Amino acid sequence: MENAIDVTGLSMHYDDFVAVDNIDLQVTTGEILAFLGQNGAGKTTTIEILEGFRQRTSGTVSVLGHDPQDAPLSWREKIGIVLQESEPVPELTAGEAVRMQASYYSNPRNAEETLEVVGLTDSADQRTRKLSGGQKRRLDLALALVGDPDLVFLDEPTTGFDPSARRESWGMIEALREIGKTVLLTTHYMDEAEHLADRIVVIGAGKIVARGTAEELANKVDARTRITWKPGAGDPSPPEQFSVVTNDFGNAQVSTDDTLASMHALTNWAIEAGVDLTDLNVARPTLEDVYLELTKDTGR
Amino acid sequence: MNFSAVLRQLNFDLLIFRRNPAATFFTVILPLIFLVLFTSIFGNGTLDNGARVSTVYVPGILTLAIVSATAVNVAITMTTRRERGVLKRVRGTPIQPEVFVLSQSLAGTVIAFVMTVIMTVIGRVLYGVSLQFETLPSLIISLIVGAMSFAAIGLAMTSIISSEDAAPAVTNAVFLPLYFISGVFVPNDQVPAWVGQVGNLFPVSHLNQALQESFDPFADGPAWPWNHWLVILGWGVFGLVVTLKRFRWTPNR
């Protein structure tokens, strides 16, 4: 099947600043792909090029078979967009806002049904200015879905949400998968990408630094268990065999594949040497660590 | 251009206008307050041509109402929509951009038309202002030429205004002084000649003069103020050119 999105060698320069540097990106029809990166990494620039809001410097881009830069207006019939910051018209009710948006499409979904999908049926007659932050985000999604798109862009759909609102949004985004939409979402939350996406593409300083499933990404970095503790001032140095390093927090750190044996050896040494091993901690790296590791050299 | 799409959007735009208290106050209520105040305070004076001053206040304040419904309303509404990302979202849909812009201009024209009817009736009933049937076609043309041209000027101002907060300030800074030098608040024959000449460079004065001819109690035969229409249209075209060159759909941040 043809890819919903096909990007080769995409670059975007603003004067001397390289916002996006020669990236390739494919999104298969029907998949949810997370575009993960820190603020300023080039996520929004890329997604806005794909949405047809920005003119790229170079590269080839195909979205649903068209180059967004010179696609006909009818191309937009099949694309739904949730922008990072856009307010609904405050004077309209949620229902009216969805009906107005529906009037822009030739084959829209039923407005009431769309409100139901995002769980806004009870607030349909509320003026949009009276909606809570979470309800406004649901309305954003309803506005993006009412045209019955095949492809949905979500630019940081949960930034600024409290944890329960995020969980709720995730439920809605998962519902998109069930109705067969292709989704490209940007996020700077690793857990969000892991939870929602079939595949993750990590961008740092305008370059793609890694891509794959959450599991594949985890395997790309040092996934060994880390044993850490806070070294005391007069502690003797631990034996060479442990290859102790000092981590970012100033703690002593041992990386190991055999947690049990290492712990045994380490605690034996500590008891004999009279070392306290204050704040002793044993942990597998989280995906958050993986992500920070992948993007740490990029600076943005 | 898809006209049924324009009508659908126009319906929503008029609904939005009706529900916006600031827009309705400044466009509908304030001109009526001005009309009643000015005619009550100065209306009994006499002009050089012998007519009562109240006969110039209906077309004068009507000028203000038309400018307010179109240029001011369009500039503030469109700037607000742009800065809040509403226009960007619209641009992401298959609607033709012209449909959206034209609807906004037509909404101003419809409101201006309603204001014309209300103010003419008030002027007729309360202040005995005359309106002959011969000058009615000219009044309607002035209304349409004025409304569409000032809507284009409003779009041009949107292109230049950078933020939502600046929009009311900029529109007031531009139009408030113009009202004073264009015969809207002070009849033209009561200001120094040079003030009137400065006013004549701008379209507000010409809209006022075109409307004055339609309400002239001594008019014999229909008035066709071509010269004024042409100046207003010229400004309208200038507004359109600035709009086409500078109008942006994305927020300025």
Side-chain angles (χ1 to χ4, degrees), chain A residues 6 16-17 22 29 66 75 89 113 125 129-130 137 159 162 170 178 188 196 208 256 261 268 278 283 291 294:
Chain A
D6 220 317
D16 288 343
F17 179 68
N22 193 25
T29 302
H66 281 278
W75 171 71
V89 175
E113 197 184 287
D125 295 328
R129 79 166 97 231
K130 299 240 169 85
R137 269 330 226 172
T159 296
D162 63 46
W170 287 0
E178 278 152 36
H188 53 235
L196 291 174
I208 305 274
T256 174
N268 271 344
T278 315
Y291 167 52
L294 286 170

Side-chain angles (χ1 to χ4, degrees), chain B residues 31-41 61 122 126-127:
Chain B
L32 295 179
I33 292 175
F34 278 148
L35 181 66
V36 172
L37 280 181
F38 278 106
T39 41
S40 304
I41 297 168
I61 303 298
I122 290 179
L126 293 185
Y127 308 111

Side-chain angles (χ1 to χ4, degrees), chain B residues 201-219:
Chain B
L201 297 172
F202 302 99
V204 177
S205 175
H206 293 276
L207 179 59
N208 180 43
Q209 291 173 64
L211 293 171
Q212 295 288 350
E213 290 194 23
S214 294
F215 285 88
D216 183 353
F218 304 117

